[in-house]
Amino acid sequence: MRNELITLKTKRDFSAALKKLMITQPLTTITVRQLLALTDKSRPTFYYHFADLEALIKWTVQDEVLSILEQTPTYANWDDDIYRLLQYFDANQSLGHAFYASLDLVQLNQVFREPLTQIVMKYITAVIADNQLRVRQADQDFIARLFTGGFVGILFDWLADDQQEAPKIIREKLRRTQNDIIVYALKNASY
């Protein structure tokens, strides 16, 4: 357990250094040497934890974003969770741009789609319990993939468009068009 905490602290130190550098310079000019200077760690330590800067970006987003989404695994707060995620990227625009630009579609999906699907499954489980529904696992999986895919697509489009739309506007659009959609889908799928 102690080694896991040390590893997590080390990764977060590199992550914080990267975010600090990205405030003043583009990712393409950031070097591992700069990260080492800010963290007072060795080059082997960096490469023990990360293959390259892209791996650090991927880990940073996963660590910070997923911790945001895992705070409230209840369906009642789904729009708040999404809003916090959008606010995170709005507050860390350089990281969002670098993240989107440096990863391919497969990597983007690994970072977002798989973990988000797990979180949506928690929402689904809560809705099923609250409404005393009986829904086949295959239907639950399909609804989770559908909802996650839609949101991930919106997020990727927003990042690609330089985050032109305010998070609050996206939240309102999602709330207006998607409110209770998972509940509705699960009730329809219930047997």
Side-chain angles (χ1 to χ4, degrees), residues 118-131 140 186:
Q118 292 173 7
I119 290 166
V120 170
M121 284 303 294
K122 290 178 184 176
Y123 294 158
I124 287 172
T125 301
V127 169
I128 289 171
D130 291 347
N131 291 277
Q140 292 177 42
L186 289 167

Side-chain angles (χ1 to χ4, degrees), residues 15-137:
S15 176
L18 176 68
K19 287 173 63 178
K20 182 176 182 179
L21 289 169
M22 289 177 76
I23 291 170
T24 59
Q25 64 188 92
L27 177 67
T28 56
T29 65
I30 294 173
T31 65
V32 171
R33 178 175 283 152
Q34 290 173 298
L35 294 172
L36 300 177
L38 286 174
T39 60
D40 199 31
K41 302 206 184 306
S42 68
R43 184 171 292 277
T45 299
F46 177 84
Y47 286 108
Y48 176 79
H49 295 290
F50 304 105
D52 51 26
L53 285 174
E54 283 79 16
L56 172 57
I57 292 168
K58 180 180 173 182
W59 183 88
T60 298
V61 171
Q62 270 187 311
D63 181 55
E64 294 182 359
V65 167
L66 295 181
S67 69
I68 290 169
L69 292 175
E70 291 173 341
Q71 289 175 9
T72 55
T74 62
Y75 184 64
N77 302 84
W78 71 269
D79 60 317
D80 293 335
D81 296 341
I82 289 173
Y83 183 57
R84 279 195 300 278
L85 175 62
L86 295 169
Q87 285 180 311
Y88 168 82
F89 278 116
D90 198 43
N92 296 283
Q93 286 191 6
S94 56
L95 181 65
H97 292 283
F99 172 73
Y100 184 78
S102 67
L103 301 177
D104 63 29
L105 188 58
V106 171
Q107 291 170 317
L108 287 168
N109 276 321
Q110 286 173 343
V111 171
F112 278 108
R113 190 176 305 267
E114 294 165 19
L116 279 174
T117 299
Q118 292 173 7
I119 290 166
V120 170
M121 284 303 294
K122 290 178 184 176
Y123 294 158
I124 287 172
T125 301
V127 169
I128 289 171
D130 291 347
N131 291 277
Q132 299 177 341
L133 302 173
R134 292 180 59 204
V135 181
R136 286 184 281 287
Q137 188 62 50

Side-chain angles (χ1 to χ4, degrees), residues 170-189:
I170 296 171
R171 176 191 194 179
E172 288 306 314
K173 285 180 181 178
L174 286 167
R175 185 185 287 159
R176 200 171 49 244
T177 62
Q178 303 301 305
N179 197 32
D180 289 334
I181 196 161
I182 289 178
V183 175
Y184 180 76
L186 289 167
K187 284 182 178 179
N188 278 342

